[in-house]
Amino acid sequence: MKNKTFQFTFVLALVLLVNVLKAQNAVKVEGLIDNFARTLSSKPDSALYYIKKATHQSKELHHSFLLSRCYYNLGYYYYMQKDLARSKYYTDLSFPFAVQSQNDKIVALNYNQLGLIYRDRSNYNKALEYFLKSLRIAEKNKLNRNTSVALHNLGYLYE
């Protein structure tokens, strides 16, 4: 009986240790994402390094929430570089992870990003469709910043 109790305690301790290590690694990934955002305008090459590293670590962690953010940010990076094909590729990659992890903010941002891509490709009907999807999700989830961004982009599109 003592042996079974020891085995159970050992397994429980091991599971707790793994969870603590995963949480610590997730915090490191969050820091890399923050570094990406902080350096995107001033040092885009550094920003790309940070977000690629964050993406790699998120994959190792099998962390859907972080992967949704990383792929969205890669899409945003390439949008800022005017590489619409890569931007769309990474934005599309972000969707399943955002839905799986119920990351409504990233879902709304992804639709907004697609709206921008299609607007820049002069496909205004498709852009309108995606901006409206972004707006609906943002309003439904009370994501005020996302609502503001979607409304701004809709206004710019109509202008």
Side-chain angles (χ1 to χ4, degrees):
M1 185 68 174
K2 286 182 184 181
N3 194 22
K4 293 264 187 203
T5 303
F6 174 77
Q7 287 176 341
F8 176 77
T9 304
F10 179 75
V11 169
L12 182 62
L14 193 58
V15 167
L16 289 173
L17 179 63
V18 167
N19 285 333
V20 167
L21 292 175
K22 279 181 101 173
Q24 287 176 340
N25 287 335
V27 169
K28 289 179 185 176
V29 171
E30 295 276 352
L32 290 168
I33 294 171
D34 290 345
N35 287 341
F36 163 80
R38 194 171 26 260
T39 59
L40 182 60
S41 298
S42 60
K43 298 177 183 175
D45 291 340
S46 295
L48 182 59
Y49 167 80
Y50 290 129
I51 201 61
K52 282 187 171 183
K53 189 170 182 175
T55 303
H56 176 74
Q57 290 181 9
S58 296
K59 284 180 189 176
E60 286 182 346
L61 292 170
H62 304 285
H63 202 298
S64 295
F65 186 86
L66 291 174
L67 277 169
S68 71
R69 291 185 63 202
C70 289
Y71 285 133
Y72 164 76
N73 282 313
L74 276 165
Y76 184 69
Y77 170 85
Y78 285 112
Y79 179 79
M80 298 302 290
Q81 300 300 311
K82 308 293 185 217
D83 187 340
L84 299 182
R86 277 191 184 170
S87 178
K88 184 174 182 321
Y89 172 79
Y90 285 109
T91 301
D92 288 342
L93 271 180
S94 175
F95 270 109
F97 295 105
V99 170
Q100 179 183 358
S101 64
Q102 299 177 343
N103 191 346
D104 297 320
K105 178 180 178 182
I106 294 296
V107 172
L109 286 170
N110 280 330
Y111 280 126
N112 188 71
Q113 185 69 31
L114 289 175
L116 292 171
I117 291 167
Y118 281 102
R119 183 197 68 199
D120 290 358
R121 290 179 174 170
S122 299
N123 188 337
Y124 302 118
N125 288 332
K126 201 72 164 165
L128 177 62
E129 175 187 333
Y130 286 124
F131 288 144
L132 289 173
K133 283 184 179 184
S134 177
L135 180 61
R136 280 192 292 274
I137 291 167
E139 288 179 335
K140 176 184 172 189
N141 294 286
K142 296 177 178 49
L143 301 168
N144 295 332
R145 173 109 170 96
N146 294 64
T147 299
S148 174
V149 169
L151 289 170
H152 170 80
N153 287 328
L154 280 165
Y156 183 81
L157 182 66
Y158 279 115
E159 184 180 63

